[in-house]
Amino acid sequence: MYDVPLLLHRVVHEMDRTADRVLRRELDLSYRRAIVLLVADREGPMNQRMLAALLGHTEPAISTMLRELSARGLVALEAVDGRERRVSITEEGRRVVTASRGLMTPMFEQVVDRAGVDADALGEQLQKLATGMGVA
């Protein structure tokens, strides 16, 4: 019998750690911040609260990351109402997203290939899991 929760945690943790190391070395960007950019690029302009919900982070954590990304010119923050801010990715942010995908995709594909796992079947199962959890 497999200890699925432990296995899933260990796989995700190791892949996150590896991606973080590569992105910091190549782009001077943490994996967490790269994921913020990936979501902002995929979903389009949205408010900070929605971004926090999509990523499963607190609003203060997202606020800190957005200030850093904005200072680097990777996202634009626009005041909407009171403290509410709209987040959108900049052209420079899109360039970084493209570069981060160019680094991460082959790295993840290599791991999957080395393990002898069918990438399409894995993607399908992960999509089912995410949908079942309400996070897809």
Side-chain angles (χ1 to χ4, degrees), residues 18-50:
T18 301
D20 190 69
R21 192 170 42 251
V22 169
L23 291 171
R24 284 180 188 274
R25 182 183 66 232
E26 300 296 327
L27 300 175
D28 190 29
L29 184 71
S30 73
Y31 183 59
R32 286 181 65 173
R33 283 151 186 81
I35 294 297
V36 169
L37 291 175
L38 288 168
V39 170
D41 184 47
R42 186 185 72 203
E43 300 296 326
M46 71 186 82
N47 67 37
Q48 184 175 317
R49 179 173 291 125
M50 172 75 73

mmCIF file of all heavy atoms in Angstrom, residues 18-50:
data_model
loop_
_atom_site.group_PDB
_atom_site.id
_atom_site.type_symbol
_atom_site.label_atom_id
_atom_site.label_comp_id
_atom_site.label_asym_id
_atom_site.label_seq_id
_atom_site.Cartn_x
_atom_site.Cartn_y
_atom_site.Cartn_z
ATOM 1 N N THR A 18 13.902 22.117 -6.294
ATOM 2 C CA THR A 18 14.769 22.101 -7.465
ATOM 3 C C THR A 18 14.466 23.281 -8.384
ATOM 4 O O THR A 18 15.375 23.968 -8.854
ATOM 5 C CB THR A 18 14.626 20.763 -8.223
ATOM 6 O OG1 THR A 18 14.973 19.702 -7.333
ATOM 7 C CG2 THR A 18 15.513 20.724 -9.447
ATOM 8 N N ALA A 19 13.183 23.530 -8.628
ATOM 9 C CA ALA A 19 12.787 24.661 -9.468
ATOM 10 C C ALA A 19 13.245 25.975 -8.845
ATOM 11 O O ALA A 19 13.739 26.872 -9.547
ATOM 12 C CB ALA A 19 11.271 24.669 -9.666
ATOM 13 N N ASP A 20 13.124 26.104 -7.542
ATOM 14 C CA ASP A 20 13.552 27.320 -6.859
ATOM 15 C C ASP A 20 15.048 27.551 -7.052
ATOM 16 O O ASP A 20 15.481 28.660 -7.366
ATOM 17 C CB ASP A 20 13.211 27.238 -5.364
ATOM 18 C CG ASP A 20 13.421 28.557 -4.661
ATOM 19 O OD1 ASP A 20 12.652 29.500 -4.937
ATOM 20 O OD2 ASP A 20 14.363 28.654 -3.848
ATOM 21 N N ARG A 21 15.824 26.506 -6.902
ATOM 22 C CA ARG A 21 17.279 26.615 -7.057
ATOM 23 C C ARG A 21 17.641 27.061 -8.476
ATOM 24 O O ARG A 21 18.454 27.970 -8.670
ATOM 25 C CB ARG A 21 17.926 25.274 -6.713
ATOM 26 C CG ARG A 21 19.395 25.297 -6.547
ATOM 27 C CD ARG A 21 19.986 24.008 -5.973
ATOM 28 N NE ARG A 21 19.431 22.778 -6.497
ATOM 29 C CZ ARG A 21 18.640 21.941 -5.818
ATOM 30 N NH1 ARG A 21 18.310 22.201 -4.566
ATOM 31 N NH2 ARG A 21 18.184 20.834 -6.372
ATOM 32 N N VAL A 22 17.019 26.461 -9.473
ATOM 33 C CA VAL A 22 17.312 26.793 -10.869
ATOM 34 C C VAL A 22 16.881 28.221 -11.198
ATOM 35 O O VAL A 22 17.642 28.984 -11.803
ATOM 36 C CB VAL A 22 16.622 25.777 -11.821
ATOM 37 C CG1 VAL A 22 16.675 26.251 -13.262
ATOM 38 C CG2 VAL A 22 17.261 24.404 -11.675
ATOM 39 N N LEU A 23 15.671 28.597 -10.797
ATOM 40 C CA LEU A 23 15.172 29.935 -11.101
ATOM 41 C C LEU A 23 15.971 31.025 -10.398
ATOM 42 O O LEU A 23 16.213 32.094 -10.965
ATOM 43 C CB LEU A 23 13.689 30.042 -10.759
ATOM 44 C CG LEU A 23 12.765 29.236 -11.668
ATOM 45 C CD1 LEU A 23 11.352 29.228 -11.111
ATOM 46 C CD2 LEU A 23 12.783 29.773 -13.087
ATOM 47 N N ARG A 24 16.382 30.772 -9.165
ATOM 48 C CA ARG A 24 17.212 31.758 -8.458
ATOM 49 C C ARG A 24 18.556 31.932 -9.164
ATOM 50 O O ARG A 24 19.044 33.050 -9.317
ATOM 51 C CB ARG A 24 17.421 31.343 -7.001
ATOM 52 C CG ARG A 24 16.207 31.577 -6.126
ATOM 53 C CD ARG A 24 16.463 31.137 -4.685
ATOM 54 N NE ARG A 24 15.268 31.175 -3.898
ATOM 55 C CZ ARG A 24 14.813 32.258 -3.256
ATOM 56 N NH1 ARG A 24 15.472 33.381 -3.334
ATOM 57 N NH2 ARG A 24 13.712 32.183 -2.545
ATOM 58 N N ARG A 25 19.137 30.814 -9.598
ATOM 59 C CA ARG A 25 20.442 30.876 -10.260
ATOM 60 C C ARG A 25 20.347 31.564 -11.629
ATOM 61 O O ARG A 25 21.155 32.423 -11.959
ATOM 62 C CB ARG A 25 21.011 29.469 -10.419
ATOM 63 C CG ARG A 25 22.395 29.442 -11.069
ATOM 64 C CD ARG A 25 22.926 28.042 -11.280
ATOM 65 N NE ARG A 25 22.106 27.336 -12.260
ATOM 66 C CZ ARG A 25 21.558 26.141 -12.064
ATOM 67 N NH1 ARG A 25 21.727 25.481 -10.939
ATOM 68 N NH2 ARG A 25 20.820 25.585 -13.004
ATOM 69 N N GLU A 26 19.334 31.195 -12.407
ATOM 70 C CA GLU A 26 19.243 31.673 -13.787
ATOM 71 C C GLU A 26 18.522 33.019 -13.951
ATOM 72 O O GLU A 26 18.872 33.791 -14.844
ATOM 73 C CB GLU A 26 18.546 30.616 -14.656
ATOM 74 C CG GLU A 26 19.261 29.287 -14.703
ATOM 75 C CD GLU A 26 20.636 29.368 -15.353
ATOM 76 O OE1 GLU A 26 20.824 30.174 -16.279
ATOM 77 O OE2 GLU A 26 21.521 28.603 -14.908
ATOM 78 N N LEU A 27 17.512 33.279 -13.126
ATOM 79 C CA LEU A 27 16.688 34.482 -13.296
ATOM 80 C C LEU A 27 16.650 35.380 -12.063
ATOM 81 O O LEU A 27 15.940 36.383 -12.069
ATOM 82 C CB LEU A 27 15.256 34.080 -13.675
ATOM 83 C CG LEU A 27 15.080 33.283 -14.965
ATOM 84 C CD1 LEU A 27 13.624 32.866 -15.135
ATOM 85 C CD2 LEU A 27 15.558 34.091 -16.161
ATOM 86 N N ASP A 28 17.358 34.986 -11.001
ATOM 87 C CA ASP A 28 17.312 35.718 -9.737
ATOM 88 C C ASP A 28 15.862 35.908 -9.280
ATOM 89 O O ASP A 28 15.440 37.009 -8.917
ATOM 90 C CB ASP A 28 18.023 37.071 -9.859
ATOM 91 C CG ASP A 28 18.215 37.752 -8.516
ATOM 92 O OD1 ASP A 28 18.332 37.040 -7.498
ATOM 93 O OD2 ASP A 28 18.228 39.005 -8.483
ATOM 94 N N LEU A 29 15.104 34.801 -9.333
ATOM 95 C CA LEU A 29 13.681 34.825 -9.011
ATOM 96 C C LEU A 29 13.328 33.550 -8.264
ATOM 97 O O LEU A 29 13.708 32.461 -8.691
ATOM 98 C CB LEU A 29 12.867 34.892 -10.309
ATOM 99 C CG LEU A 29 11.359 35.016 -10.197
ATOM 100 C CD1 LEU A 29 10.981 36.406 -9.684
ATOM 101 C CD2 LEU A 29 10.718 34.776 -11.558
ATOM 102 N N SER A 30 12.597 33.682 -7.164
ATOM 103 C CA SER A 30 12.176 32.486 -6.429
ATOM 104 C C SER A 30 11.063 31.777 -7.203
ATOM 105 O O SER A 30 10.348 32.378 -8.008
ATOM 106 C CB SER A 30 11.678 32.852 -5.033
ATOM 107 O OG SER A 30 10.407 33.475 -5.105
ATOM 108 N N TYR A 31 10.921 30.493 -6.937
ATOM 109 C CA TYR A 31 9.865 29.705 -7.580
ATOM 110 C C TYR A 31 8.491 30.250 -7.203
ATOM 111 O O TYR A 31 7.604 30.339 -8.055
ATOM 112 C CB TYR A 31 10.018 28.236 -7.168
ATOM 113 C CG TYR A 31 9.027 27.311 -7.811
ATOM 114 C CD1 TYR A 31 8.938 27.196 -9.190
ATOM 115 C CD2 TYR A 31 8.185 26.527 -7.034
ATOM 116 C CE1 TYR A 31 8.032 26.336 -9.786
ATOM 117 C CE2 TYR A 31 7.284 25.649 -7.622
ATOM 118 C CZ TYR A 31 7.211 25.571 -9.005
ATOM 119 O OH TYR A 31 6.309 24.716 -9.581
ATOM 120 N N ARG A 32 8.303 30.636 -5.947
ATOM 121 C CA ARG A 32 7.006 31.186 -5.519
ATOM 122 C C ARG A 32 6.640 32.430 -6.320
ATOM 123 O O ARG A 32 5.496 32.608 -6.721
ATOM 124 C CB ARG A 32 7.020 31.515 -4.029
ATOM 125 C CG ARG A 32 6.955 30.273 -3.154
ATOM 126 C CD ARG A 32 6.957 30.612 -1.703
ATOM 127 N NE ARG A 32 5.738 31.357 -1.367
ATOM 128 C CZ ARG A 32 5.371 31.679 -0.161
ATOM 129 N NH1 ARG A 32 6.126 31.333 0.873
ATOM 130 N NH2 ARG A 32 4.272 32.338 0.068
ATOM 131 N N ARG A 33 7.617 33.292 -6.565
ATOM 132 C CA ARG A 33 7.346 34.495 -7.335
ATOM 133 C C ARG A 33 7.121 34.167 -8.815
ATOM 134 O O ARG A 33 6.311 34.804 -9.477
ATOM 135 C CB ARG A 33 8.456 35.514 -7.134
ATOM 136 C CG ARG A 33 8.288 36.209 -5.780
ATOM 137 C CD ARG A 33 9.606 36.673 -5.184
ATOM 138 N NE ARG A 33 9.410 37.205 -3.846
ATOM 139 C CZ ARG A 33 9.294 36.461 -2.749
ATOM 140 N NH1 ARG A 33 9.332 35.135 -2.808
ATOM 141 N NH2 ARG A 33 9.131 37.023 -1.570
ATOM 142 N N ALA A 34 7.829 33.160 -9.302
ATOM 143 C CA ALA A 34 7.605 32.723 -10.685
ATOM 144 C C ALA A 34 6.180 32.204 -10.850
ATOM 145 O O ALA A 34 5.530 32.475 -11.871
ATOM 146 C CB ALA A 34 8.621 31.643 -11.065
ATOM 147 N N ILE A 35 5.677 31.487 -9.858
ATOM 148 C CA ILE A 35 4.306 30.978 -9.921
ATOM 149 C C ILE A 35 3.306 32.131 -9.906
ATOM 150 O O ILE A 35 2.301 32.102 -10.619
ATOM 151 C CB ILE A 35 4.034 29.971 -8.777
ATOM 152 C CG1 ILE A 35 4.893 28.717 -8.956
ATOM 153 C CG2 ILE A 35 2.553 29.618 -8.683
ATOM 154 C CD1 ILE A 35 4.600 27.930 -10.228
ATOM 155 N N VAL A 36 3.571 33.175 -9.128
ATOM 156 C CA VAL A 36 2.711 34.365 -9.140
ATOM 157 C C VAL A 36 2.651 34.924 -10.557
ATOM 158 O O VAL A 36 1.574 35.240 -11.077
ATOM 159 C CB VAL A 36 3.212 35.429 -8.142
ATOM 160 C CG1 VAL A 36 2.484 36.753 -8.341
ATOM 161 C CG2 VAL A 36 3.041 34.947 -6.704
ATOM 162 N N LEU A 37 3.809 35.032 -11.208
ATOM 163 C CA LEU A 37 3.844 35.552 -12.576
ATOM 164 C C LEU A 37 3.114 34.629 -13.550
ATOM 165 O O LEU A 37 2.386 35.100 -14.429
ATOM 166 C CB LEU A 37 5.291 35.747 -13.034
ATOM 167 C CG LEU A 37 6.079 36.859 -12.342
ATOM 168 C CD1 LEU A 37 7.529 36.843 -12.822
ATOM 169 C CD2 LEU A 37 5.434 38.218 -12.588
ATOM 170 N N LEU A 38 3.307 33.325 -13.396
ATOM 171 C CA LEU A 38 2.627 32.369 -14.280
ATOM 172 C C LEU A 38 1.110 32.506 -14.180
ATOM 173 O O LEU A 38 0.405 32.513 -15.194
ATOM 174 C CB LEU A 38 3.040 30.938 -13.940
ATOM 175 C CG LEU A 38 4.461 30.532 -14.325
ATOM 176 C CD1 LEU A 38 4.828 29.207 -13.657
ATOM 177 C CD2 LEU A 38 4.616 30.437 -15.819
ATOM 178 N N VAL A 39 0.600 32.633 -12.957
ATOM 179 C CA VAL A 39 -0.848 32.768 -12.763
ATOM 180 C C VAL A 39 -1.331 34.114 -13.299
ATOM 181 O O VAL A 39 -2.360 34.177 -13.980
ATOM 182 C CB VAL A 39 -1.223 32.578 -11.275
ATOM 183 C CG1 VAL A 39 -2.672 32.962 -11.017
ATOM 184 C CG2 VAL A 39 -0.967 31.142 -10.861
ATOM 185 N N ALA A 40 -0.594 35.186 -13.032
ATOM 186 C CA ALA A 40 -0.983 36.508 -13.534
ATOM 187 C C ALA A 40 -0.993 36.524 -15.064
ATOM 188 O O ALA A 40 -1.872 37.141 -15.680
ATOM 189 C CB ALA A 40 -0.040 37.576 -12.996
ATOM 190 N N ASP A 41 -0.061 35.816 -15.679
ATOM 191 C CA ASP A 41 -0.006 35.746 -17.138
ATOM 192 C C ASP A 41 -1.179 34.927 -17.677
ATOM 193 O O ASP A 41 -1.843 35.322 -18.630
ATOM 194 C CB ASP A 41 1.324 35.125 -17.568
ATOM 195 C CG ASP A 41 1.513 35.110 -19.064
ATOM 196 O OD1 ASP A 41 1.264 36.157 -19.706
ATOM 197 O OD2 ASP A 41 1.916 34.065 -19.601
ATOM 198 N N ARG A 42 -1.453 33.789 -17.059
ATOM 199 C CA ARG A 42 -2.512 32.897 -17.540
ATOM 200 C C ARG A 42 -3.910 33.480 -17.327
ATOM 201 O O ARG A 42 -4.771 33.400 -18.189
ATOM 202 C CB ARG A 42 -2.424 31.550 -16.830
ATOM 203 C CG ARG A 42 -3.417 30.521 -17.390
ATOM 204 C CD ARG A 42 -3.419 29.242 -16.604
ATOM 205 N NE ARG A 42 -4.059 29.506 -15.329
ATOM 206 C CZ ARG A 42 -3.877 28.795 -14.234
ATOM 207 N NH1 ARG A 42 -3.054 27.780 -14.232
ATOM 208 N NH2 ARG A 42 -4.490 29.102 -13.114
ATOM 209 N N GLU A 43 -4.133 34.081 -16.153
ATOM 210 C CA GLU A 43 -5.478 34.532 -15.787
ATOM 211 C C GLU A 43 -5.795 35.957 -16.229
ATOM 212 O O GLU A 43 -6.951 36.339 -16.266
ATOM 213 C CB GLU A 43 -5.668 34.428 -14.271
ATOM 214 C CG GLU A 43 -5.521 33.024 -13.726
ATOM 215 C CD GLU A 43 -6.585 32.083 -14.239
ATOM 216 O OE1 GLU A 43 -7.734 32.521 -14.455
ATOM 217 O OE2 GLU A 43 -6.264 30.892 -14.444
ATOM 218 N N GLY A 44 -4.791 36.753 -16.512
ATOM 219 C CA GLY A 44 -5.025 38.143 -16.887
ATOM 220 C C GLY A 44 -5.208 39.022 -15.663
ATOM 221 O O GLY A 44 -5.110 38.556 -14.521
ATOM 222 N N PRO A 45 -5.471 40.311 -15.878
ATOM 223 C CA PRO A 45 -5.605 41.233 -14.750
ATOM 224 C C PRO A 45 -6.660 40.767 -13.751
ATOM 225 O O PRO A 45 -7.726 40.281 -14.144
ATOM 226 C CB PRO A 45 -6.029 42.546 -15.410
ATOM 227 C CG PRO A 45 -5.519 42.437 -16.812
ATOM 228 C CD PRO A 45 -5.645 40.980 -17.166
ATOM 229 N N MET A 46 -6.324 40.896 -12.478
ATOM 230 C CA MET A 46 -7.248 40.492 -11.412
ATOM 231 C C MET A 46 -6.877 41.263 -10.151
ATOM 232 O O MET A 46 -5.791 41.831 -10.070
ATOM 233 C CB MET A 46 -7.156 38.995 -11.151
ATOM 234 C CG MET A 46 -5.861 38.567 -10.460
ATOM 235 S SD MET A 46 -5.678 36.800 -10.315
ATOM 236 C CE MET A 46 -5.043 36.445 -11.934
ATOM 237 N N ASN A 47 -7.762 41.218 -9.169
ATOM 238 C CA ASN A 47 -7.425 41.895 -7.925
ATOM 239 C C ASN A 47 -6.514 40.997 -7.075
ATOM 240 O O ASN A 47 -6.410 39.789 -7.295
ATOM 241 C CB ASN A 47 -8.670 42.368 -7.169
ATOM 242 C CG ASN A 47 -9.520 41.240 -6.645
ATOM 243 O OD1 ASN A 47 -9.023 40.207 -6.198
ATOM 244 N ND2 ASN A 47 -10.827 41.426 -6.691
ATOM 245 N N GLN A 48 -5.873 41.629 -6.140
ATOM 246 C CA GLN A 48 -4.903 40.942 -5.279
ATOM 247 C C GLN A 48 -5.553 39.820 -4.474
ATOM 248 O O GLN A 48 -4.961 38.757 -4.287
ATOM 249 C CB GLN A 48 -4.277 41.976 -4.352
ATOM 250 C CG GLN A 48 -3.194 41.447 -3.475
ATOM 251 C CD GLN A 48 -2.551 42.561 -2.677
ATOM 252 O OE1 GLN A 48 -2.289 43.634 -3.203
ATOM 253 N NE2 GLN A 48 -2.293 42.319 -1.409
ATOM 254 N N ARG A 49 -6.778 40.023 -4.038
ATOM 255 C CA ARG A 49 -7.489 39.004 -3.251
ATOM 256 C C ARG A 49 -7.709 37.740 -4.086
ATOM 257 O O ARG A 49 -7.519 36.625 -3.621
ATOM 258 C CB ARG A 49 -8.818 39.564 -2.758
ATOM 259 C CG ARG A 49 -9.643 38.561 -1.950
ATOM 260 C CD ARG A 49 -10.868 39.200 -1.328
ATOM 261 N NE ARG A 49 -10.420 40.114 -0.288
ATOM 262 C CZ ARG A 49 -10.757 41.408 -0.228
ATOM 263 N NH1 ARG A 49 -11.564 41.936 -1.104
ATOM 264 N NH2 ARG A 49 -10.302 42.170 0.740
ATOM 265 N N MET A 50 -8.100 37.909 -5.344
ATOM 266 C CA MET A 50 -8.328 36.773 -6.245
ATOM 267 C C MET A 50 -7.011 36.027 -6.487
ATOM 268 O O MET A 50 -6.987 34.796 -6.473
ATOM 269 C CB MET A 50 -8.898 37.255 -7.577
ATOM 270 C CG MET A 50 -8.988 36.166 -8.627
ATOM 271 S SD MET A 50 -10.324 35.010 -8.358
ATOM 272 C CE MET A 50 -11.698 36.033 -8.796
#
